[in-house]
Amino acid sequence: MKQPKYYLVTLEWSHGFTSHSVIMGNRLEGEKQHIASLTYVKNSTFTEIEQHEYSGFWTGEFKPQGISKVSEAIIRIAGNSQDGIQAIGGFLARLAGRSEQEGMTFMTIPSTISGGPSIFQVRIGSGEVLSAGDEADVLLCFYQHSYEDHIKSLKLGGIVLYDSDHVQPKPEWQESYRHVGVAISSLTVEAIGGTGRDKGKNIYALGLLAKIYDLNVPKLTKLIEERFTGKDTSVVTNALTCFNAGYGHSLENLLKSYQFYPPES
């Protein structure tokens, strides 16, 4: 039996001399909604807006929103220091440098030698970037504490990319943020075997981010190869296998992917 499709839709309409916009939330494909009963939302962060005159009922067609162009992205990675989250941010920052983009990073280091909760935030832009940014566009979280401690750092309508092996989304937050769950830990093991486990999931997650933002795969591949230069060839092979597995994973519950505008000349 074919599963019904749900899409997050933003509607903008005019009534007299007043304009309104509203996030309609997750709706069944082709479902009628009485827009007068919905709450008005100002300053929507969604860029794809269906334009319709106010008529009491909206029966427009629900479609995936495809690819959106962005000038910058703020990505916060939250987990434990031993997960290699700094490596993810480092790859993204170095990629920006090799793509004539600008980047700025921010990170926290656990106070204990054995490691602990840590974050790495990177801001990538096609124009001038002067800070690591405040509210993130994407929160990548590996654990429940990563999710609960950093969800409020995300913009309204932002993407929560979480490891569904370790994170249980809170119902009260699912209307405000777009949750995308991927079994990162178990899929990493599936890709490279039991030896991968915590060692490869950061590179798998990098592949997911590369897909969401349509990042330059050949350049990232080169960066991964350079990062593990001098290591046993199996280390490089496993890393690339993890990255390609993440990049190739189907993100069916993601409404759109993103591309950066070309760098400003």
Side-chain angles (χ1 to χ4, degrees), residues 127-148:
E128 190 175 27
V129 173
L130 300 176
S131 73
D134 297 316
E135 293 183 312
D137 299 290
V138 174
L139 170 64
L140 167 60
C141 48
F142 288 100
Y143 303 105
Q144 193 70 27
H145 67 79
S146 313
Y147 172 66
E148 294 178 2

Side-chain angles (χ1 to χ4, degrees), residues 25 60 63 96 156 182 198 205 207:
K63 296 181 179 179
L156 179 67
V182 179
D198 294 336

Side-chain angles (χ1 to χ4, degrees), residues 183-255:
I184 296 173
S185 296
S186 58
L187 287 173
T188 300
V189 173
E190 183 179 314
I192 60 174
T195 56
R197 301 190 69 82
D198 294 336
K199 294 293 184 182
K201 68 181 182 180
N202 61 333
I203 308 298
Y204 187 100
L206 177 65
L208 295 172
L209 291 172
K211 184 166 189 174
I212 292 172
Y213 280 101
D214 194 27
L215 301 179
N216 190 306
V217 170
K219 288 183 179 180
L220 275 172
T221 298
K222 182 66 173 175
L223 285 168
I224 292 170
E225 291 172 341
E226 291 174 359
R227 170 68 175 79
F228 296 107
T229 296
K231 302 281 187 180
D232 188 88
T233 55
S234 64
V235 175
V236 179
T237 299
N238 284 345
L240 292 176
T241 299
C242 285
F243 174 77
N244 291 325
Y247 186 80
H249 183 78
S250 177
L251 296 172
E252 295 179 352
N253 51 342
L254 184 70
L255 296 175

Side-chain angles (χ1 to χ4, degrees), residues 58-161:
W58 183 64
T59 58
E61 185 179 359
F62 290 77
K63 296 181 179 179
Q65 296 175 347
I67 298 175
S68 284
K69 293 280 190 179
V70 295
S71 59
E72 68 170 28
I74 300 173
I75 301 169
R76 175 169 291 208
I77 306 153
N80 293 332
S81 58
Q82 58 266 35
D83 297 320
I85 63 173
Q86 289 83 7
I88 304 174
F91 281 125
L92 294 174
R94 287 193 289 274
L95 176 65
R98 294 192 184 184
S99 303
E100 298 182 358
Q101 294 171 320
E102 293 203 13
M104 190 75 72
T105 64
F106 167 80
M107 62 185 293
T108 63
I109 302 295
S111 58
T112 58
I113 297 176
S114 59
S118 179
I119 67 165
F120 194 108
Q121 183 161 303
V122 58
R123 183 180 190 179
I124 303 171
S126 300
E128 190 175 27
V129 173
L130 300 176
S131 73
D134 297 316
E135 293 183 312
D137 299 290
V138 174
L139 170 64
L140 167 60
C141 48
F142 288 100
Y143 303 105
Q144 193 70 27
H145 67 79
S146 313
Y147 172 66
E148 294 178 2
D149 291 348
H150 297 283
I151 187 75
K152 295 300 177 66
S153 69
L154 195 61
K155 294 176 181 176
L156 179 67
I159 297 170
V160 183
L161 178 61

Side-chain angles (χ1 to χ4, degrees), residues 49-62:
I49 298 177
E50 296 285 346
Q51 303 281 349
H52 291 279
E53 291 296 314
Y54 179 86
S55 60
F57 282 89
W58 183 64
T59 58
E61 185 179 359
F62 290 77

Side-chain angles (χ1 to χ4, degrees), residues 13 21-24 27 34-42:
W13 75 96
S21 64
V22 59
I23 298 174
M24 297 184 69
R27 305 300 180 194
H34 192 273
I35 58 179
S37 66
L38 299 171
T39 304
Y40 296 166
V41 178
K42 296 181 179 179

